[in-house]
Amino acid sequence: AALGGKVLEQPRGKILGGSSALNYMVFDRGSKAEYDAWKKFGGDNWSWSGLLPYFKKSESVHAPKVTTPWNEPKTVDTSVNGVSGPVQVSYNDWYSDITEPYLKTINNLGIPLNLNPESGDATGVYNGKTSVDRTTGRRSYAANTYHKIASTRSNYYVILGAEATKILTTGSSLKRDDAATSDATSDSATADSAAHPSGVTATGVTFKVGSNTYTAKVKKEVVVSAGSLKTPQLLELSGIGNKTLLKKYGITPLVDLPGVGENLQDHVFVPSSFALKPGYTTFDILANDPVFAAAQNATYYKNGTGIFASTPDSALAFFDLQTFLPHATVASLLSTAKADAADDGLNQLEKDGLDIQANSIQNTDLGQVEIIMISGHLSPSPAVAGTSYISIIMALQRPWSRGSVHIGSSDPTAPPVIDPKYLDNGFDLKVMTEAVKFARKIAQTEPLKSAVASFQDPAASVTSDADFAAYVKDAITPVYHPAGTAALGPRANGGVVDSRLKVYGTKNIRVADASIIPLEPASHLQSIVYAIGEKAVTMILADNS
């Protein structure tokens, strides 16, 4: 509603390796306090100390190969970084010459350098690692790491082009009257479910390949890892979700879990771009100088180095609201956030998450906003040929808006109905408006000011709060970090999975993906999802030993 019906894309990785095959490869983690807050939802094992071994287990972190603008030590802190996991994590080996003046500028504005963001304090500006294998200069992702390792196992099968359509079950956690629907197409499994309200046991999974439907039988358990947008859809198609919604679409409810599909959180960003004076080399050179681009392309294919082996977004900064707003303004924003949330009809799990967020606003050791510095053009209006740019991306890390994703029909091939409710809470719009104003302040502060030739987006004519807010609404884009739609937490509060990631009301259905995240941290999600997967493996092995 806040965006006036604007439709935004949500690309998902329908490919071997999932979304790890198409993300921006950023590999960061967030702060200790953010994971310790998960204890409220999943108990002591869901905390920084409970997750750190799994962060480390999934990764092989490599020290910088070149001297970077941050001048980090060329060593790896093995107390917090893994060095023997499947995913290769590294630093760029090419940096734009606009990076150093940018770093000095935001240091001057109160955002310090952070040379060890994995230590549990992820605030400040740091050199973001990426999931790139520096021996090849190529993406390191689930397909060429975990899949490649598992592909030699006799009990491992991958079927390409397959789409899961339903989890087949016996049993029910509902009484007959609750499970009954007016749909005359109920099958024998439905009748069995209504007669035995003792809990649901998965017996198989149906899936489609092309026009053909198949069934995989279950021996032990089903692990759902379809992501925050498809996991709730598959659960609902299988009779697990809000029973009122399921009955609306003729689906027999087997487990009444109103939290399925709720608590949708996502980071959003708004870009600001500035044309640079001549003399700076940014990623725009690939369009502006075909000879340079060809030479770099040859370098990349010869030894996996150079600009094509690097990413334009390694300078990441996380900081509190007090860095760029007066305390009185922060207090007013918090009042707005609470007032708007009170009218949103949230479940208790969502309310608990917002209570934690409210407290975090007063904690200046936690990031509320992220800046992603792009050494190149990224903004709504097109680049001017022959021009180099710096783009300052402001990303909201703790949105107060909560969305949802649900089925819109009983057709398993139909897309789910996604309502992220971006900027619905007035706090989110006001923070993003002030953040974009701060981006302009960065461009007008030395030493970066001396490098900037002109404003591109928003235009120099945008000066009032109303103009900036309109620009935010027009230019806002998801960071593609959807989370929380099958949340870890107490069932009575709206939780979907317990501390072992088992779906409530079921005996052998587990979820392991970003949908279990109860409260999204100030971080990109890639490393978190790998850690969740590694932790789930430990639980599955222990529970089936």
Side-chain angles (χ1 to χ4, degrees), residues 13 37 44 46 91 96 110 134-135 156 180 255 287 299 357 416 431 438 442 446 479 493-494 502 512 515:
D44 289 346
W46 288 96
Y91 295 88
S96 167
R134 289 294 152 194
T135 64
Y156 178 75
V255 181
T299 297
Q357 285 186 207
V431 169
F438 186 51
I442 293 170
E446 294 291 3
V479 187
N493 293 351
K502 287 278 188 75
S515 70

Side-chain angles (χ1 to χ4, degrees), residues 263-337:
N263 193 46
L264 175 60
Q265 302 160 59
D266 194 4
H267 300 141
V268 290
F269 77 83
V270 176
S272 296
S273 62
F274 306 90
L276 297 173
K277 294 175 181 177
Y280 290 95
T281 302
T282 66
F283 277 76
D284 302 293
I285 197 172
L286 297 175
N288 295 335
D289 188 340
V291 174
F292 176 88
Q296 286 291 310
N297 190 54
T299 297
Y300 177 69
Y301 279 102
K302 181 179 179 180
N303 56 31
T305 62
I307 193 171
F308 280 107
S310 300
T311 60
D313 56 355
S314 68
L316 308 178
F318 292 85
F319 52 96
D320 56 28
L321 299 181
Q322 290 84 347
T323 295
F324 66 106
L325 294 173
H327 286 271
T329 301
V330 174
S332 175
L333 286 169
L334 181 56
S335 295
T336 296

Side-chain angles (χ1 to χ4, degrees), residues 219-414:
K219 288 185 176 180
K220 291 188 176 180
E221 60 179 79
V222 170
V223 181
V224 182
S225 300
S228 297
L229 303 181
K230 297 290 281 185
T231 284
Q233 180 186 26
L234 183 60
L235 292 176
E236 289 176 343
L237 289 169
S238 306
I240 301 168
N242 187 319
K243 65 181 181 182
T244 302
L245 176 73
L246 302 183
K247 289 179 181 180
K248 176 181 177 181
Y249 294 110
I251 296 173
T252 301
L254 305 177
V255 181
D256 185 23
L257 273 184
V260 172
E262 298 297 315
N263 193 46
L264 175 60
Q265 302 160 59
D266 194 4
H267 300 141
V268 290
F269 77 83
V270 176
S272 296
S273 62
F274 306 90
L276 297 173
K277 294 175 181 177
Y280 290 95
T281 302
T282 66
F283 277 76
D284 302 293
I285 197 172
L286 297 175
N288 295 335
D289 188 340
V291 174
F292 176 88
Q296 286 291 310
N297 190 54
T299 297
Y300 177 69
Y301 279 102
K302 181 179 179 180
N303 56 31
T305 62
I307 193 171
F308 280 107
S310 300
T311 60
D313 56 355
S314 68
L316 308 178
F318 292 85
F319 52 96
D320 56 28
L321 299 181
Q322 290 84 347
T323 295
F324 66 106
L325 294 173
H327 286 271
T329 301
V330 174
S332 175
L333 286 169
L334 181 56
S335 295
T336 296
K338 291 180 177 179
D340 285 5
D343 298 327
D344 281 349
L346 303 175
N347 63 36
Q348 189 59 49
L349 183 143
E350 293 169 311
K351 291 177 181 177
D352 289 344
L354 293 181
D355 285 344
I356 293 170
Q357 285 186 207
N359 292 331
S360 78
I361 288 175
Q362 308 303 325
N363 183 350
T364 56
D365 294 329
L366 289 175
Q368 300 289 335
V369 176
E370 177 189 16
I371 305 176
I372 307 169
M373 189 278 279
I374 302 291
S375 50
H377 176 270
L378 178 64
S379 69
S381 56
V384 176
T387 303
S388 293
Y389 293 86
I390 182 173
S391 299
I392 299 175
I393 311 302
M394 291 295 185
L396 182 65
Q397 295 302 294
R398 302 183 193 281
W400 278 66
S401 303
R402 292 293 186 269
S404 64
V405 53
H406 293 291
I407 55 172
S409 77
S410 59
D411 179 1
T413 64

Side-chain angles (χ1 to χ4, degrees), residues 7 36 77 175 193 205 217 219 258 280 331 342 361 414 418 449 461 489:
V7 177
D36 286 343
D77 181 355
K175 296 178 181 178
S193 299
V205 176
K217 294 183 179 180
K219 288 185 176 180
Y280 290 95
I361 288 175
I418 306 167
K449 179 180 179 180
S461 58

